Amino acid sequence: MQLKIKKMKALVYHGPDNKAWEEKPKPVITHPSDAIVKIYKTTICGTDLHIMKGDVPTVTDGRTLGHEGVGIIDEVGSSVSNFKKGDHVLISCITSCGKCGYCKKGMYSHCENGGWILGNTIDGTQAEYVRIPFADNSLYAIPAGADEEALVMLSDILPTGFECGVLNGQVKPGDTVAIVGAGPVGLAALLTVQFFTPAEIIMIDLDDNRLAVAKTFGATKTINSSGGNAIKEIMNVTGNTGVDVAIEAVGIPATFELCEKIIAPGGHIANIGVHGKSVELHLETLWSQNITITTRLVDTVTTPMLLKIVQSNKLKPKQLITHHFKLSDIISAYDTFKHADREKALKVIMTNE
């Protein structure tokens, strides 16, 4: 007897600038360590916009996008021991087997069997259901009574801003920090950099609305770089020395080069942005300046700690959410997120109703 294949709806990539909300088979357990999660809430990441521009060639035609979300366990494989059907879970954007050499070093992003695969090389979370490999290491139990909408921010942007920006930038108390890019990840870096009490947090962006939001989130100074005076303004603020830490949170050549021009001797440039084009490295001026430049793909090793801080109400990621949609309206949500300046959008939440 032929089994009937169960169907679901998903946001499917069909090449640059081509996506569709369409029907495809519901995922099934393919390995004993898998879990099938019914998506409750998900969101759109700046990385998804890079994918739609064709910047991420590993994403191929037919892929379900998305790597963030919370949901309810629908089914677990025979070797999953930490979760059961009906559990509420936070989905990590990074899949970790927990056993390979990279995982044992805490570099989950380079897991030999996982890493950033959701919405990249396997189907992702912008769907009614998603298959999560290595569920015991790639999901987090949501505490009873937690605000699950706020916890979507812990799938990716909060650990990304914290690990790739703040920790890699080695921010110290009293530092002057510049964050270039006041989008969701830049604002996540702004929220978490305050753990280390820098003396100045300077937010740089082209969008006055986002800069105003940054001010309410704790930025001590904001600079609109559209007039081309950002470097001069930074130098005025810092007594012509530059900043101790420059966090790049956009992913285009102009913003990385801005970081190169505002960094002080002995400073750290921490790259977060997803770069689809080559960037010019100005070693002719930086070679003698004791500069450290770091790159990183988020490992999500700090997610358990960030979850505790959110639960203690000392970190409030819900303030990053500006728009709500039904999951079935995800095409409209993409349009809103893509035109964030026009729509005054930060993070958009889609609910699977």
Side-chain angles (χ1 to χ4, degrees), residues 303-350:
T303 301
M305 180 195 73
L306 292 170
L307 184 56
K308 288 180 181 179
I309 299 173
V310 171
Q311 282 298 102
S312 73
N313 212 33
K314 293 178 180 176
L315 181 61
K316 300 176 181 178
K318 193 166 185 174
Q319 58 192 323
L320 292 162
I321 301 167
T322 56
H323 290 71
H324 293 80
F325 295 86
K326 294 180 180 178
L327 183 59
S328 57
D329 291 334
I330 192 169
I331 298 296
S332 296
Y334 260 87
D335 185 64
T336 294
F337 191 64
K338 182 179 179 180
H339 298 99
D341 52 347
R342 182 187 72 196
E343 303 292 341
K344 297 185 177 180
L346 294 175
K347 289 297 277 186
V348 300
I349 288 286
M350 287 88 69

Side-chain angles (χ1 to χ4, degrees), residues 107-308:
M107 290 179 62
Y108 303 155
S109 61
H110 291 273
C111 172
E112 293 171 10
N113 305 297
W116 174 42
I117 56 176
L118 284 175
N120 180 8
T121 57
I122 69 170
D123 285 343
T125 60
Q126 291 170 8
E128 293 176 325
Y129 293 86
V130 62
R131 180 179 70 90
I132 304 295
F134 307 110
D136 279 338
N137 298 307
S138 306
L139 297 172
Y140 298 89
I142 294 178
D147 186 336
E148 297 191 14
E149 186 167 284
L151 294 187
V152 176
M153 305 299 104
L154 285 178
S155 285
D156 183 354
I157 63 166
L158 274 171
T160 295
F162 186 50
E163 294 175 14
C164 305
V166 179
L167 295 184
N168 264 18
Q170 297 185 22
V171 178
K172 302 181 297 299
D175 275 353
T176 296
V177 179
I179 301 172
V180 183
V185 170
L187 291 172
L190 168 62
L191 290 173
T192 54
V193 77
Q194 294 172 67
F195 296 162
F196 295 94
T197 59
E200 294 275 4
I201 310 172
I202 306 165
M203 209 77 185
I204 305 169
D205 201 275
L206 299 170
D207 186 334
D208 283 332
N209 176 64
R210 287 187 165 185
L211 291 173
V213 170
K215 199 78 170 176
T216 68
F217 284 11
T220 58
K221 183 172 179 57
T222 58
I223 296 174
N224 189 313
S225 55
S226 60
N229 294 320
I231 297 169
K232 182 178 179 181
E233 290 192 49
I234 289 284
M235 291 306 169
N236 286 339
V237 171
T238 61
N240 218 37
T241 61
V243 299
D244 300 301
V245 181
I247 297 174
E248 199 287 328
V250 181
I252 60 173
T255 50
F256 189 86
E257 290 188 38
L258 175 59
C259 290
E260 295 181 73
K261 291 174 182 176
I262 63 175
I263 197 69
H268 288 73
I269 298 174
N271 184 81
I272 303 177
V274 178
H275 289 270
K277 295 181 180 179
S278 177
V279 172
E280 190 170 346
L281 180 61
H282 291 283
L283 281 179
E284 75 279 7
T285 56
L286 296 179
W287 72 271
S288 63
Q289 298 300 299
N290 297 44
I291 301 298
T292 300
I293 298 174
T294 55
T295 66
R296 185 172 181 174
L297 184 59
V298 63
D299 292 302
T300 67
V301 290
T302 63
T303 301
M305 180 195 73
L306 292 170
L307 184 56
K308 288 180 181 179

